[in-house]
Amino acid sequence: MESYDDLIIKSSVRFRSSYPLVVPISVIVAVLCLCILIGHLVKKSRWLNESTVTVLIGCAIGTIILFWSKGTNSHILRFNEELFFIYLLPPIIFNAGFKVKKKQFFRNFSTIVLFGVFGCFLSSGIIAAGSWLLLPLVGFTGLKTREYFALGAIFSSTDTVSTLQVLNANETPLLYSLVFGEGVVNDATSVVLLKAIQRPDISIADFKSVAQIFADFFYLFSMSTVLGVFVGLLTAYALKKIYFAEHSTDREIALLVLMSYLSYMLAELLNLSGILTVFLCGIIMSHYAYHNVSDHSKVTARHASATMSFIAETFIFLYLGMDVLDIEKWNQSNSSFGTSLGIQIAIILLICLGRAAFVFPISALTNYMNKNYERTHITFKSQIIIWWAGLMRGAVTIALAFNQFTYKGEAGDFVHATLMKDTLIIVLFTTVVLGSITKPLVRLLVPHHELNNESQQNTYIEELNLPLISLKDSTSTNMLRAKNSLTMLIKRPIYTIHDFWRRFDDTYMRPVFGGPPLSGNSLIILS
């Protein structure tokens, strides 16, 4: 039998063995606290925002570590795409769905989908084709056809954090909903698109395989939607039927958090889009499950979701700043300074071109479709802000690049190492340089007096009187109603579909799954 002294020695050895992990985690937590404090202090700055400050702090910490380690290392923890996709991304996307302004989101749903899905496809194609033409001209070769397509999917992923930190959902509801909605849908689209491109049984060279990529994309998109809605409704039903009585807040919040995370993990297990699944799960939970919990749980759920998302975003931007100085990537990449600079300039120009190719035409189409209706049009100044908001690249771009060009965080050859290094530099440049210009640009294009005007223009609620067929009325009356409904559906499909969904939701969904109390104007459910 071991003596007491032997047990003490073994415990001490085990503690010391875990000490190398305790140190970096402690440093990371301390630096995160520093980022939060400094980010708050610069909130009113004309040029800086919280994400830019966090990246700059990451660069400073990376520089200190680089000198401390005598040029062997620049970061505290090793980035892994699994760390991002499994632990950091779910709370960010869930919070986006949980706090989304549903009335504005679904009211502009068609425009958001065109921006997020069609725009992502178009931008991806332009970046892929442009890279295939331009990168060899700057002396960078060695990429396969599939990798050019992957490059397009990676750099078509946007990061709208900097812009959303400036915009206000109450002052510019239309602009905020378009930028926010496109950002989430775009991220989900780019991830699903890259998964389809990476399938080993598809050859990019022939037309049938390209068509198969589109088919796989729509399959993943639709099944991910079904899974997210199902888990959200299941959670809402459970919370409505089960009475937790005392200490309900802990159990209700735990159920919301675990079920949302389960939806994400199930999607990944089934090779679907976890981003889209957990985003829709968040929307469903905020629409139904949120109203089935106690008042204390409502407040706690909002703050807990926002807090986890904020910490995850801060950590990602902090690591980005440190990883740019990763000496291993710089040593493994043997491309010259001119070649790397050419790659970076070419891709940034293609990103700008890809954004412009769909933002302005889709905005013009939306304005044309709404010219006869009392809806706020997307002004040219707003179009510039939407275009600019999508130029920043962030966490999803980095994670997709790690997923495509590295294995367990390490590039296999100098070609992939070069792309990883240049990807980090592009993300750093767009986040710090373009992100710092965002705040003065928005204030220049949308002055304060115009913010109030847009807010007032979007406060009206349009009433559609399209009653469903009633058994109490005569056949001729019902036929007339059906004719009017069909005419309205052709003229104004989004409003008509929304009206029918609202009535279906009030009649069938909310009695089963819960929701806010019914009022005279049921449009309140989408506020």
Side-chain angles (χ1 to χ4, degrees), residues 293-433:
V293 299
S294 64
D295 292 338
H296 291 293
S297 297
K298 290 178 182 178
V299 176
T300 306
R302 289 286 181 184
H303 289 291
S305 173
T307 301
M308 290 188 294
S309 174
F310 177 72
I311 293 175
E313 286 181 357
T314 305
F315 176 82
I316 291 171
F317 283 113
L318 176 64
Y319 189 90
L320 167 62
M322 291 189 293
D323 204 49
V324 170
L325 300 174
D326 188 357
I327 198 66
E328 295 178 8
K329 294 185 180 68
W330 287 83
N331 290 335
Q332 192 173 1
S333 172
N334 61 358
S335 60
S336 64
F337 174 79
T339 299
S340 291
L341 184 62
I343 294 172
Q344 297 156 21
I345 294 175
I347 291 179
I348 291 175
L349 291 177
L350 290 172
I351 291 172
C352 296
L353 178 62
R355 289 286 300 172
F358 71 86
V359 168
F360 298 105
I362 291 177
S363 299
L365 176 64
T366 301
N367 290 338
Y368 176 78
M369 297 295 293
N370 297 326
K371 66 179 181 179
N372 296 324
Y373 309 127
E374 297 179 12
R375 297 185 65 185
T376 305
H377 287 195
I378 307 174
T379 65
F380 183 71
K381 292 181 179 179
S382 296
Q383 295 174 34
I384 294 177
I385 295 176
I386 295 171
W387 171 76
W388 183 269
L391 297 181
M392 271 69 78
R393 295 296 177 264
V396 176
T397 299
I398 296 174
L400 293 181
F402 269 97
N403 181 267
Q404 175 66 28
F405 299 123
T406 69
Y407 177 72
K408 293 185 177 180
E410 296 184 2
D413 52 43
F414 77 92
V415 174
H416 291 167
T418 300
L419 287 176
M420 275 307 309
K421 178 196 68 176
D422 292 336
T423 298
L424 291 171
I425 293 175
I426 290 171
V427 172
L428 180 66
F429 175 82
T430 56
T431 302
V432 175
V433 178

Side-chain angles (χ1 to χ4, degrees), residues 65-324:
I65 297 174
L66 191 64
F67 282 103
W68 186 274
S69 63
K70 298 180 180 179
T72 61
N73 191 19
S74 67
H75 40 63
I76 305 171
L77 296 174
R78 173 69 63 178
F79 184 88
N80 190 315
E81 66 271 15
E82 292 182 0
L83 168 69
F84 175 79
F85 281 108
I86 301 301
Y87 300 108
L88 298 178
L89 188 60
I92 297 175
I93 303 301
F94 173 77
N95 182 61
F98 198 70
K99 73 174 186 180
V100 67
K101 299 288 185 179
K102 293 181 287 296
K103 181 174 73 173
Q104 285 293 332
F105 182 84
F106 288 105
R107 195 170 161 197
N108 302 293
F109 186 73
S110 58
T111 306
I112 290 172
V113 169
L114 285 175
F115 279 146
V117 179
F118 174 76
C120 184
F121 271 96
L122 183 59
S123 177
S124 177
I126 291 175
I127 294 173
S131 300
W132 180 73
L133 291 173
L134 296 179
L135 295 191
L137 297 179
V138 298
F140 185 71
T141 57
L143 287 179
K144 301 175 183 178
T145 304
R146 186 190 298 272
E147 291 176 323
Y148 282 115
F149 277 87
L151 205 62
I154 291 169
F155 283 104
S156 63
S157 173
T158 63
D159 186 88
T160 58
V161 173
S162 297
T163 308
L164 292 176
Q165 288 176 352
V166 180
L167 296 177
N168 187 294
N170 297 320
E171 292 180 341
T172 55
L174 173 65
L175 190 56
Y176 186 93
S177 67
L178 292 177
V179 172
F180 174 82
E182 188 218 342
V184 176
V185 176
N186 173 279
D187 286 346
T189 303
S190 59
V191 173
V192 175
L193 181 58
L194 184 63
K195 282 187 176 182
I197 292 172
Q198 288 177 334
R199 283 190 51 174
D201 57 334
I202 289 181
S203 172
I204 306 295
D206 59 280
F207 175 76
K208 290 184 179 179
S209 295
V210 174
Q212 184 63 39
I213 289 177
F214 281 94
D216 289 341
F217 169 80
F218 286 111
Y219 167 77
L220 293 173
F221 210 88
S222 59
M223 294 306 297
S224 300
T225 300
V226 171
L227 179 60
V229 171
F230 173 76
V231 175
L233 291 177
L234 180 63
T235 307
Y237 185 79
L239 288 171
K240 184 176 176 62
K241 293 299 181 181
I242 299 176
Y243 177 65
F244 286 101
E246 295 182 0
H247 310 294
S248 61
T249 299
D250 297 338
R251 292 171 175 80
E252 289 171 343
I253 299 301
L255 189 62
L256 287 173
V257 171
L258 292 177
M259 288 298 289
S260 62
Y261 190 69
L262 178 63
S263 72
Y264 183 89
M265 296 308 297
L266 285 176
E268 294 298 316
L269 180 65
L270 299 173
N271 291 320
L272 301 176
S273 171
I275 291 180
L276 183 61
T277 298
V278 76
F279 175 69
L280 291 170
C281 182
I283 292 180
I284 296 298
M285 284 186 177
S286 68
H287 186 57
Y288 297 110
Y290 175 78
H291 300 280
N292 297 335
V293 299
S294 64
D295 292 338
H296 291 293
S297 297
K298 290 178 182 178
V299 176
T300 306
R302 289 286 181 184
H303 289 291
S305 173
T307 301
M308 290 188 294
S309 174
F310 177 72
I311 293 175
E313 286 181 357
T314 305
F315 176 82
I316 291 171
F317 283 113
L318 176 64
Y319 189 90
L320 167 62
M322 291 189 293
D323 204 49
V324 170

Side-chain angles (χ1 to χ4, degrees), residues 8-22:
I8 293 295
I9 293 173
K10 286 187 176 182
S11 299
S12 177
V13 171
R14 283 197 297 268
F15 178 79
R16 284 198 300 269
S17 66
S18 64
Y19 191 74
L21 186 61
V22 172

